[in-house]
Amino acid sequence: AKADYIGLCHYRRYLSFSDRHFDNLTGDRRGQVLAKALTPGTEAKYGLLDQEAVRSIVTSHDILVGEAQDLSKVYTPFGVQPTVLKHWQAHDMALINVKDLEALFDIVQARYPEFYKDMREYLDGKYFYGFNTFVMRRDLYCELCEMEFAVLAELEQRVDLSHYNQQLSRIYGFMGEILFSSYIYHKKKRNPALRVGERQLLYFDQTDV
């Protein structure tokens, strides 16, 4: 693709490009807008078909992400947790193996020490940019990919998936979320002039109707 901006939607989630604010939210306290199905009607409702509006919103920002979630309000297998890091740790052997998270930290610290410092600072907060859903300038996207896939490739050499169930085998998606969201925090901190915008995050129960 030769586009100036590149985006990703993930886990049946999209950014809303409507000028309305919606309050039909999912019941998991993540602040996502719940839509039953991705249809021409819901695409129009949430601004996904208005190319002129989408272009205007995208080009007036350097990065667009879903609204930050307050994870201190979101349940885990061990109750609500005060920080992003503790939220992930409370999913040990449910979503991730905490030992793999520690390996991720080791790799990032060795390869990208400045980024690692901001990453740990970010994880000690409570707001999380989840689900690998974004639109960003091409150069920022390439920078993110160069870092993220280098780290994940090395992590892949350290992780043995042979004893993991289907959920735990999704490790790289979850670790990618942590790296991506940490990158957003890092760029905002190091470059306050960067135009980072948040949009409501849409969650569709069905996308194949």
Side-chain angles (χ1 to χ4, degrees):
K2 296 182 180 180
D4 296 326
Y5 288 81
I6 298 178
L8 179 68
C9 57
H10 206 188
Y11 300 130
R12 292 171 297 176
R13 290 171 173 86
Y14 295 75
L15 300 178
S16 171
F17 286 94
S18 171
D19 57 3
R20 294 172 55 194
H21 190 274
F22 299 95
D23 57 8
N24 50 308
L25 305 180
T26 57
D28 55 8
R29 300 187 178 185
R30 292 183 181 273
Q32 301 167 91
V33 178
L34 177 62
K36 289 187 176 181
L38 182 65
T39 65
T42 54
E43 287 177 321
K45 177 179 180 178
Y46 297 114
L48 303 181
L49 299 179
D50 189 338
Q51 294 188 24
E52 183 176 339
V54 171
R55 182 185 298 274
S56 175
I57 293 167
V58 167
T59 56
S60 63
H61 294 85
D62 300 305
I63 298 174
L64 286 175
V65 293
E67 290 181 343
Q69 308 163 59
D70 181 353
L71 291 191
S72 70
K73 298 179 180 179
V74 178
Y75 293 114
T76 78
F78 295 93
V80 294
Q81 300 294 323
T83 69
V84 175
L85 177 58
K86 291 186 180 298
H87 177 89
W88 282 103
Q89 290 172 332
H91 286 89
D92 186 30
M93 303 311 291
L95 292 181
I96 65 168
N97 184 337
V98 166
K99 291 182 179 179
D100 298 335
L101 183 57
E102 293 168 355
L104 181 81
F105 292 153
D106 289 343
I107 294 166
V108 174
Q109 185 174 26
R111 282 178 168 264
Y112 307 100
E114 184 179 88
F115 174 67
Y116 174 76
K117 180 180 178 182
D118 292 344
M119 179 184 190
R120 294 306 299 252
E121 183 177 288
Y122 162 70
L123 292 173
D124 283 337
K126 65 179 183 177
Y127 290 102
F128 181 65
Y129 298 110
F131 306 108
N132 298 316
T133 304
F134 60 84
V135 181
M136 63 179 70
R137 278 189 354 230
R138 183 186 185 89
D139 59 311
L140 295 170
Y141 170 80
C142 292
E143 182 181 71
L144 167 64
C145 287
E146 183 178 355
M147 177 276 294
E148 185 170 327
F149 287 106
V151 172
L152 294 179
E154 185 169 339
L155 182 65
E156 191 174 20
Q157 302 304 312
R158 302 191 187 192
V159 175
D160 179 7
L161 298 181
S162 63
H163 304 294
Y164 283 4
N165 60 24
Q166 184 178 23
Q167 186 69 287
L168 290 175
S169 296
R170 299 172 64 202
I171 169 180
Y172 303 112
F174 296 128
M175 297 300 169
E177 277 190 272
I178 294 170
L179 291 170
F180 153 72
S181 56
S182 299
Y183 174 81
I184 301 302
Y185 178 87
H186 170 70
K187 298 304 291 186
K188 288 176 66 176
K189 178 181 177 180
R190 301 287 170 167
N191 184 2
L194 200 67
R195 301 171 301 168
V196 180
E198 298 185 12
R199 309 294 300 180
Q200 281 193 290
L201 197 62
L202 310 172
Y203 175 81
F204 290 94
D205 272 341
Q206 300 179 54
T207 56
D208 57 354
V209 295

